Amino acid sequence: VILRLFGASVGSEVNIYSSALIYYPWNLKIGDHSSIGEWALIYNLGQVTIGERTTISQRVHLCAGTHDYKDPAMPLVKSSIEICDDVWVCADAFVGAGVVINDSSIVAARAVVVKNVAKAEIVAGNPAVFKKFTI
């Protein structure tokens, strides 16, 4: 994977579609048997960590940057995103800066996640809310 040449940490048997846009490879860590789908946008100003056996579906937007709106200068804030093991982030979902999505969770299609997702939760909507447990 060419991403490794630019500092990404990429596990074994990882599938990243060529149309996925990863801004800063050195801020990406992805575990074994995981994938990033077509046209996914990984805006990783801060560290983005994707666990093992995790699927980031098509057109997902992971946004690890924001601005401090309380400061008139609106300075850039670089935050991390952590998506743990056995997670599925479904098509067109948005995951905001500073969010942790814990093991065995599902983020439904088109969900907007701006708060942490607990282990084994399914979340959906805008903003994303708990729907049920996966196990």
Side-chain angles (χ1 to χ4, degrees), residues 1-10 14-18 20-30 36 42 44:
V1 173
I2 196 166
L3 290 170
R4 287 186 183 108
L5 295 174
F6 292 94
S9 175
V10 180
V14 170
N15 183 32
I16 300 173
Y17 278 83
S18 61
L21 180 56
I22 298 165
Y23 276 74
Y24 300 105
W26 50 90
N27 283 340
L28 177 66
K29 180 177 181 182
I30 184 168
I36 298 175
I42 314 300
N44 53 342

Side-chain angles (χ1 to χ4, degrees), residues 75-93:
L76 186 62
V77 177
K78 300 174 183 180
S79 299
S80 63
I81 292 174
E82 182 179 2
I83 301 173
C84 297
D85 298 338
D86 304 301
V87 171
W88 179 19
V89 181
C90 299
D92 292 309

Side-chain angles (χ1 to χ4, degrees), residues 15-16 19-20 43 54 58 60 63 80 98-99 110 120 129 131:
N15 183 32
I16 300 173
S19 60
Y43 190 53
T54 290
Q58 65 273 20
V60 164
C63 187
S80 63
V99 167
R110 298 247 167 140
V129 295
K131 294 298 182 180

Side-chain angles (χ1 to χ4, degrees), residues 96-111:
V99 167
V100 176
I101 301 174
N102 284 284
D103 292 343
S104 304
S105 293
I106 298 172
V107 174
R110 298 247 167 140

